[in-house]
Amino acid sequence: MKLLRHGPAGAEKPALLDGSGKVRDLSGIIPDIAGLVLGDAELDKLRALDPASLPVIEPERIGPCVGGTGKFICVGLNYADHAKETGKAPPEEPILFMKATSAICGPNDAVEIPRGSKKTDWEVELGVIIGKRAKYVSEADALSHVAGYCVINDVSERAFQSERGGQWTKGKSHDTFGPTGPWLVTRDEVADPQNLRLWLEVDGVRRQDGSTATMIFGVAHLVSYISQFMTLEPGDIIATGTPPGVGMGIKPDPVFLKAGQVITLGIDGLGTQSQTTVAAGD
């Protein structure tokens, strides 16, 4: 099942994508794709619906595929080749940092280049959306706490991230630095989250082309690991790391984003995103 949210930013309504690619309105069935709606029982009720019984809509804007996110947790250097291109050793344990939830935006919304930025970069990532509260869960049980998966662009300002006091969060949290969606694809439709191809292009040039098979720490391990340090709640998002090909890793001269460019990215089975970069507003 592919779930989505549409409408103006901050006032999105729930919908689903049917098997023929039509968007069907869910606003008469559920209030939002958030909170308890992400649990197995509620998702089963949605699966039982006949999509043909729901009104067809033509959204003007697709919003982030999950609402009410309390935590946006990111995993750093989770692909060995990406660690190598940044000049760092692969981590022995997952590196965790937070991205402000105010960075979350729709999959095709414009991405802002922050004021004073010289090193805004791209990162295609597999997103994991929590559906059931997870505290001290085992790796064997971890995936049962996942509602589904999505595409994330973990946009990053490298100078803010690494050259201004060492706090990654401030290089990751500018408004629009978290395009999420287009769909939340429920976990039953993803046979193996460790066998997904992911890719990213800038102005039509392929920059990233990888597979979740090369993650250092897989999804089940990450959910279990993170739950040892904080309780994961429905709607929380985990961005699981990026494969090689980011702008800072291009040799001999790194390449970074500027206003007026187009970023296109996707993950097999999870959809695609397309963002135009713009100068940051007020």
Side-chain angles (χ1 to χ4, degrees), residues 79 193-199 209-215 242-244:
Y79 289 71
Q194 304 310 141
N195 187 29
L196 299 172
R197 176 176 164 267
L198 61 172
W199 56 271
D209 202 341
S211 170
T212 59
T214 63
M215 282 184 183
T242 197

Side-chain angles (χ1 to χ4, degrees), residues 61-66 72 99-112 121-127 150-156 172 174-183 200 237 239 257 263 265 267 272-277:
R61 171 185 176 269
I62 301 296
C65 60
V66 64
F72 195 157
K99 197 177 186 86
T101 56
S102 55
I104 297 171
C105 65
N108 304 315
D109 290 349
V111 163
E112 293 186 351
D121 206 345
W122 56 83
E123 294 189 11
V124 59
E125 305 204 5
L126 173 66
C150 67
V151 182
I152 289 175
N153 188 357
D154 177 20
V155 186
S156 310
K172 299 281 189 171
H174 186 80
D175 295 350
T176 76
F177 269 24
T180 303
W183 337 119
L200 180 145
I237 299 171
L257 295 165
I263 313 165
L265 60 149
I267 301 177
T272 61
Q273 302 182 353
S274 181
Q275 300 112 26
T276 299
T277 55

Side-chain angles (χ1 to χ4, degrees), residues 36-45 47 131-132 144 146-147 187:
L36 296 178
V37 170
L38 299 167
D40 287 346
E42 294 303 312
L43 292 178
D44 283 343
K45 292 178 183 177
R47 285 189 194 93
K132 182 174 68 174
S144 71
V146 172
R187 74 172 188 271

Side-chain angles (χ1 to χ4, degrees), residues 180-251:
T180 303
W183 337 119
L184 183 165
V185 181
T186 53
R187 74 172 188 271
D188 58 299
E189 291 197 6
V190 179
D192 183 1
Q194 304 310 141
N195 187 29
L196 299 172
R197 176 176 164 267
L198 61 172
W199 56 271
L200 180 145
E201 296 179 350
V202 179
D203 291 338
V205 177
R206 183 62 58 99
R207 293 298 190 182
Q208 292 185 276
D209 202 341
S211 170
T212 59
T214 63
M215 282 184 183
I216 299 171
F217 306 106
V219 172
H221 182 85
L222 291 174
V223 172
S224 173
Y225 182 87
I226 294 168
S227 79
Q228 312 304 309
F229 300 95
M230 65 192 82
T231 300
L232 296 169
E233 300 286 357
D236 286 351
I237 299 171
I238 303 170
T240 57
T242 197
V246 299
M248 69 178 294
I250 295 174
K251 302 293 191 297

